[in-house]
Every structure is written in structure tokens, then in C-alpha cells.
Amino acid sequence: MLNNPRFTSVLKKYQDTFHAVVPFNAAKDKLLLMNFTATNADLNDKELEDAGKFSAYIDRKIKDAGAVYGIGGYTEYRSIYNRSDVFDVPGAEPRRLHLGIDIWGDAGTPVFAFMGGMIHSLAFNNRFGDYGATLILLHQLDGIAFYSLYGHISLNDINNRRAGEYITRGERFAQFGKPEENGNWPPHLHFQLIYDMEMQKGDYPGVCAYGEKDKYLRNCPDPDLVLNMMQYAKD
């Protein structure tokens, strides 16, 4: 897997100092590894098209597993993006390769800052299947500036915020949004690390075309370098 070696090494160096992004106790909480590729025969088109039915599917899977969250998705080639034309580019390869980790759970689940950072930008990306309410933080470690993106959060989390505000380590600054404010998805957090925002504000691709994977994986390393949760996920 291609990544920016220096950026990745700095994240590994400080991994033990990062605050939990969502409440999670590894000693007792279970995590369900989600599968949104074409191999998932349980999820049908009718469920995908309706945010309520899709949410019910997610809730049922998590409950049946006795888990606190569903989780996964980094570098997953996802068939579920067929539900929205946000991921289709006329005359080009559709975007299907996921660049973040999704944590699926209840609307209102709190989101905490893993380290201090300044609000770089925020936006309400309100197309069907998009991020919905989105906030991006700017961080710095050992002279390296980088970004963390939080998609599908609550509108309240961005309505009273502005670029340039500082968020402290461990501060609760967001929560999982409801479908009507999160791009019409089941409640979850899309968490993504980004080295170069490429002059974008309030948005950055969370899904890329497979043919562009080398570029995007260099720019977006494994979010579990911060989350440190995937080792506990079971299918």
C-alpha cells in the first residue's frame, strides 16, 4: 500500500498519545467489521436507496453482533456508491475506492479531537450521498502540517463554528449526524487523514477512482494510525 513514508512515520511515532476519536473501551466493547463490497449479498438495492432502510440494516447488524459500532472501509472497493451519482463522473471511471474509515453507530455519538488543531474549513455538502455536514482540522507534528476530515456530522457542529478556531485535544466538537444532515446516510463518522488539501476547503474526496489510487493513498494514509481500533474489529 502506497503512503507518504515521512508522514506515516510521524503518525506512528505519536500514535500512543492520540485521544480516542469516539468513546471506545477495547477491554469490553466489540466492533463489527463492515463489508460494503459487491461480495455482501445481504444488502439489496432497495435498502441502499432508502436511508431509513439502510439505517435499519446497519442497526440490525451491529445489534446482532453485540457490537458498539460497525467499522471499516479504508481502501475498500465499495459497490454501495451505486446509490448516488455523486460518485459518478461522466465519461470517466466511477469513484468507488474508499479513503477513510467509517464508524457506524447512533446519531448523536460524540466525536473528540485526537490532538489539538485549528479549524481549516467547514461546509454543508448537501447532495444525496455526499458528506453532509463536514469539518476539517489542521494539525502539526514535528514540522509536518496535515489535516483530519470529519464527514457526516451534525449541522449544529458547523453552524456555530468558523475557520481559525482552535480545538483542543480531547474536546468534544462534533457528533454523528442524522440522515437529513449527513448526506442521507445511516449515522456514522467518516474519518480521514490528508497530507495535502490541494487548495480545497470544506471538502476533499473520500472516495477515488481505482485508477487514481496511487495518488490518493500517498496523500491519505490509513486512519487507523490515529484511531487504533481496527485490530479489535471482527466480522
Side-chain angles (χ1 to χ4, degrees):
M1 193 172 296
L2 298 173
N3 282 142
N4 180 318
R6 182 164 176 249
F7 181 24
T8 300
S9 66
V10 168
L11 291 171
K12 289 179 178 178
K13 176 181 175 182
Y14 289 96
Q15 190 172 37
D16 291 342
T17 72
F18 296 144
H19 191 280
V21 173
V22 295
F24 175 65
N25 184 337
K28 65 176 184 177
D29 292 337
K30 293 182 179 180
L31 297 176
L32 174 65
L33 183 63
M34 304 300 293
N35 172 16
F36 293 118
T37 70
T39 64
N40 183 350
D42 294 335
L43 193 57
N44 61 52
D45 289 343
K46 289 184 177 180
E47 288 174 315
L48 283 173
E49 292 166 2
D50 185 296
K53 292 179 180 177
F54 194 3
S55 295
Y57 167 85
I58 298 288
D59 290 344
R60 183 174 67 253
K61 294 289 286 187
I62 293 173
K63 182 179 179 180
D64 288 350
V68 63
Y69 305 114
I71 194 169
Y74 184 59
T75 71
E76 185 174 60
Y77 193 84
R78 289 179 161 180
S79 59
I80 60 170
Y81 295 130
N82 295 329
R83 73 190 294 264
S84 170
D85 59 10
V86 165
F87 306 100
D88 294 330
V89 181
E93 181 187 359
R95 297 186 296 127
R96 296 291 185 268
L97 190 75
H98 194 243
L99 301 169
I101 284 180
D102 287 334
I103 304 172
W104 307 82
D106 295 332
T109 297
V111 177
F112 302 95
F114 69 92
M115 65 173 290
M118 185 183 73
I119 296 178
H120 168 267
S121 54
L122 41 82
F124 186 33
N125 299 298
N126 195 29
R127 295 179 296 171
F128 181 87
D130 210 328
Y131 284 132
T134 313
L135 190 146
I136 299 169
L137 296 180
L138 167 63
H139 312 278
Q140 189 172 89
L141 281 174
D142 286 357
I144 294 179
F146 67 98
Y147 306 84
S148 57
L149 183 150
Y150 305 81
H152 313 294
I153 57 177
S154 164
L155 268 175
N156 285 337
D157 301 328
I158 64 172
N159 282 341
N160 299 312
R161 294 285 194 178
R162 59 179 176 80
E165 287 185 35
Y166 192 80
I167 304 292
T168 60
R169 179 187 181 279
E171 179 179 346
R172 174 178 174 165
F173 69 97
Q175 61 184 350
F176 293 14
K178 298 176 182 178
E180 57 266 28
E181 58 190 353
N182 79 356
N184 293 101
W185 289 93
H188 73 290
L189 174 71
H190 172 97
F191 178 72
Q192 184 171 338
L193 299 173
I194 304 163
Y195 180 67
D196 181 1
M197 281 292 297
E198 303 180 68
M199 304 299 291
Q200 298 193 51
K201 292 184 177 180
D203 194 10
Y204 187 84
V207 182
C208 73
Y210 189 79
E212 296 181 308
K213 68 181 179 68
D214 289 357
K215 168 194 170 181
Y216 280 103
L217 293 183
R218 276 193 295 268
N219 200 40
C220 302
D222 188 348
D224 201 47
L225 291 169
V226 167
L227 294 175
N228 196 28
M229 295 173 71
M230 291 304 299
Q231 61 186 303
Y232 305 106
K234 309 290 183 183
D235 57 14

